[in-house]
Every structure is written in C-alpha cells, then in structure tokens.
C-alpha cells in the first residue's frame, strides 16, 4: 500500500500506476509535462518548478511536450529557455511585485501582464524556446465567437453568461462560443494535435506570435482584454485557454511515455465553467498515463492563511500585505521541493504512488 506521509501527494492514472509499480520510474520516459490554468495558485508550485528544471529537465529524452494553458503556459515559457531557473526567478519576482491602481481597468491589467512577460522572455527568450533541443512548447487559448468577442463589459458579461448556461447542458456546447486554439511548436506534433470535442484551430508558434499566444492564453475574460488578430492565426479575439482547457482534458500522453503533471490540487476540472459542477470530470483515458503531484490537504492547511493563493487576494489584501503573504507561502513550499528531491533521490515514487 502507498505511503501517505509527506507534504506532497503522488497520484497516477491506472496505466502509469501499474507501469511504475512494475518498471520503476525513469525521467527519460516522461513525454509530456502538463500545466493547468490557475493564476496565483502557481505560486505553490514555484519551488517544485525549480526542482523539475534542475533535476528532471537535464535527464529528459526528447522530444518532450510542454502542454500549458494560462499560467501553465507562462511557467513553461520559463522551462524552455536556455537558463530556465533564471527565467523562473524573473517570473516569480515580476509576478509577486505586480501592483495596480485602486480600481484597475482591463487595459491596465493587460499592460502589466505584458510587462511581466517582457521580464520572463528578456532579450532572446522566444527564440530560445523555439530552438530548444528537446522541449516543445504548446500553448492553449480560445478564439471567441461573436457573442464573446466584445470588450464592452455588459456585452461580454452577457456572452459569458450564455456560455456558462450552455455549458450546464453540455460541455461541448461551448464550441458555439469558443474555438480551441492550439499554438504549437511544429518541430514535433503533440499527442493532442488532433484533439476532439471542440472546433480546433492549429497555429504554428513563431518568434512573432509566441508572446501574443502566451498573453492570450492567460487573458481572463472580464479581467484582461483579449488579444486581437494574432500573427499567423485566424483573425479574431483570443482569450484564456482555461475557458475550455482549465485542467487540460486532453490526450496528453504518447504510448509508452508518461505525463508529469505538477498541480495545485488533487482534483482535476475540465473547463473554467465546470469549477462548481462536481459531476464534471476529465475523461479517464486522458489521465491513464499521468503522474500528478500536488500539495496534500494537510500541507495546504498549514500554509499562511490556510489556503492556496488565488486572484481574490488582489482585492482581499493591500499590495504590501499580499506580497508578504505570497512570499511566506513560497518559502513554506520549500518543504514540497525537499519532499520531491527526497522521492527522486531515494527512488520512492512507486512506494508513494496512489491511484488518481
């Protein structure tokens, strides 16, 4: 029986579970790394990201697909640079220190978002990502239909409400309001290149469109403005990939490869509108070969405030208090990183693994 001690939970789909129990774990067998939407929730993963880029990335046998929506795409834009740890540190610092006026507009938040991405990519980050020897970045966004393209708050709110109502009846109904946009590294096609369920538009990533694709992937409706007419993509307004792919309900794994999925929670939710729909679950075939690692509920309860950061922190706390709280949470999450290092060094993954 798997041991439950330690601040990290390690869970796996049935295929990965049986595979690792039989053959053990080897980083060389990772074929995909998955990164979900979640905004500030990513801060509980920032210490784990450090371990992954320092201890696992050098062992990977390419090509390895980085599948990210929203903040997941931002994290992986750091992973795939020539100096990933430096990029992660730049991202974390810029993200922590973002500040706004008392009642920021979507335009103000969008401008700050682009400034943060500028810090992440620095001078040559986009070129480094697209020439990485074995990592392949794939960014998920959505292209809006007529009812969700407007930047008028009342009109957009009405369109989003209509989409939410349609989603209640059927998740596939979201395809009336949004098309799934896959911005992909063309050097190697990902396992989800032919993903079904929604209208799919594939766009090759280039140095010219990579920054816009990443910004679009995190452009939360009603919070940031959408990105218009991305270079090389069908014309239109692009928004947060989490609208459809909140926690990546996609065929992530190639046969006989594993998907590594550092996540905020042990629960996986298909789309943004499904967060309160407890009956909505990911297709189990999509997590068959996935290894999910996440903070345990007991660890989260011990964090400052007893919770994982989220977007409400911007309204709940003054800037200085929020930065202090977030920094203390990041420091506390060094315990997660230590646990992962221990599991890797002592080859304890099979022992710690639980069924997802």
């Amino acid at each position: 029986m798997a041991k439950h001690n330690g601040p990290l939970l390690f869970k796996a789909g049935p295929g990965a579970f049986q595979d690792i129990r039989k053959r053990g774990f080897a980083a060389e067998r990772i074929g995909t790394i998955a990164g979900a939407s979640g905004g500030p929730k990513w801060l509980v993963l920032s210490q784990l990201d450090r371990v992954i880029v320092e201890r696992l990335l050098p062992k990977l046998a390419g090509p390895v697909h980085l599948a990210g929506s929203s903040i997941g795409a931002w994290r992986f834009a750091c992973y795939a640079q020539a100096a990933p740890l430096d990029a992660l540190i730049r991202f974390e610092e810029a993200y922590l220190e973002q500040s706004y006026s008392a009642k920021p507009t979507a335009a103000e938040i969008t401008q700050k978002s682009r400034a943060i991405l500028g810090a992440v990519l620095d001078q040559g980050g986009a070129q480094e990502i697209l020439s990485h020897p074995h990592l392949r970045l794939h960014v998920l966004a959505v292209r809006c239909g007529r009812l969700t393209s407007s930047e008028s708050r009342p009109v957009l709110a009405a369109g989003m409400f209509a989409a939410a109502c349609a989603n209640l009846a059927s998740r596939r109904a979201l395809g009336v309001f949004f098309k799934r946009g896959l911005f992909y590294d063309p050097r190697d096609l990902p396992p989800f290149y032919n993903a079904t369920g929604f209208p799919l538009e594939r766009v090759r990533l280039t140095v010219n469109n990579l920054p816009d694709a990443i910004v679009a992937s995190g452009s939360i409706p009603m919070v940031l403005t959408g990105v218009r007419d991305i270079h090389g993509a069908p014309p239109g307004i692009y928004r947060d990939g989490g609208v459809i792919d909140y926690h990546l309900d996609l065929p992530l794994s190639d046969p006989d490869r594993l998907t590594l999925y550092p996540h905020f929670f042990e629960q996986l939710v298909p789309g943004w509108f499904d967060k309160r729909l407890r009956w909505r679950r990911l297709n189990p075939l999509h997590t068959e070969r996935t290894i999910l690692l996440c903070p345990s509920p007991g660890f989260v309860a011990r964090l400052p405030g007893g919770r994982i950061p989220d977007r409400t922190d911007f309204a709940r706390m003054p800037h200085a208090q929020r930065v202090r709280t977030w920094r203390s949470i990041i420091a506390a999450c060094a315990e997660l990183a230590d646990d992962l290092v221990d599991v890797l060094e002592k080859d304890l993954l099979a022992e710690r693994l639980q069924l997802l």
Side-chain angles (χ1 to χ4, degrees), residues 8-311:
L8 270 177
L9 296 179
F10 296 87
K11 299 203 166 192
F17 184 86
Q18 296 299 333
D19 195 324
I20 292 168
R21 284 297 186 89
K22 180 191 288 186
R23 300 164 59 184
F25 171 74
E28 294 81 0
R29 294 177 55 223
I30 294 172
T32 303
I33 305 178
S37 301
K41 297 181 185 72
W42 86 276
L43 295 170
V44 299
L45 303 180
S46 71
Q47 298 279 0
L48 290 176
D49 282 338
R50 286 164 160 77
V51 175
I52 291 168
V53 302
E54 290 191 291
R55 298 197 174 231
L56 289 181
L57 291 195
K59 298 179 180 179
L60 299 183
V64 174
H65 302 287
L66 304 178
S69 68
S70 195
I71 205 71
W74 287 68
R75 291 168 50 225
F76 293 158
C78 299
Y79 275 40
Q81 291 187 50
L85 182 58
D86 291 345
L88 281 168
I89 291 170
R90 293 195 304 271
F91 181 30
E92 182 182 288
E93 194 61 27
Y95 197 90
L96 283 169
E97 293 296 339
Q98 60 184 303
S99 62
Y100 301 95
S101 59
K103 293 184 178 180
T105 63
E108 180 185 347
I109 298 171
T110 301
Q111 183 180 23
K112 178 61 69 172
S113 179
R114 289 203 175 262
I116 294 171
L117 184 61
V120 171
L121 296 179
D122 202 24
Q123 297 299 312
Q127 183 60 54
E128 290 174 6
I129 291 166
L130 293 174
S131 58
H132 196 283
H134 57 266
L135 297 181
R136 306 291 182 258
L137 177 65
H138 311 290
V139 177
L140 289 150
V142 295
R143 185 164 73 93
C144 298
R146 183 175 299 176
L147 293 175
T148 52
S149 289
S150 177
E151 296 299 347
S152 163
R153 290 184 67 84
V155 175
L156 179 56
M160 295 299 289
F161 179 74
C165 292
N167 182 73
L168 275 172
S170 169
R171 180 162 143 76
R172 283 179 177 250
L174 283 179
V176 174
F177 301 86
F178 305 98
K179 290 181 169 62
R180 177 185 265 152
L182 171 61
F183 293 83
Y184 68 99
D185 186 326
R187 291 176 294 170
D188 291 283
L189 302 183
F192 42 90
Y193 183 77
N194 292 313
T196 59
F198 298 94
L200 175 64
E201 297 177 337
R202 307 179 192 91
V203 182
R204 293 185 173 210
L205 275 177
T206 67
V207 171
N208 290 329
N209 66 20
L210 184 144
D212 276 347
I214 293 172
V215 170
S217 185
S219 292
I220 305 165
M222 310 290 294
V223 179
L224 288 83
T225 57
V227 180
R228 181 180 293 278
D229 298 344
I230 297 176
H231 185 269
I237 296 291
Y238 290 80
R239 301 192 193 274
D240 197 315
V243 171
I244 289 178
D245 295 302
Y246 191 56
H247 291 166
L248 303 177
D249 193 9
L250 293 161
L252 294 171
S253 304
D254 280 317
D256 205 42
R257 302 295 295 272
L258 300 169
T259 293
L260 182 68
Y261 196 158
H263 194 42
F264 332 111
F265 310 118
E266 50 187 313
Q267 295 82 19
L268 293 171
V269 178
W272 194 48
F273 293 109
D274 300 322
K275 288 185 279 187
R276 292 178 176 82
L277 307 184
R278 295 183 181 275
W279 64 89
R280 285 279 165 82
R281 293 288 182 266
L282 270 64
N283 182 338
L285 295 177
H286 292 169
T287 54
E288 172 73 16
R289 300 193 60 78
T290 293
I291 306 164
L292 183 138
L293 51 153
C294 64
S296 70
F299 174 81
V300 173
R302 292 188 281 109
L303 288 175
R307 54 187 286 277
I308 288 173
D310 61 37
R311 284 194 297 115

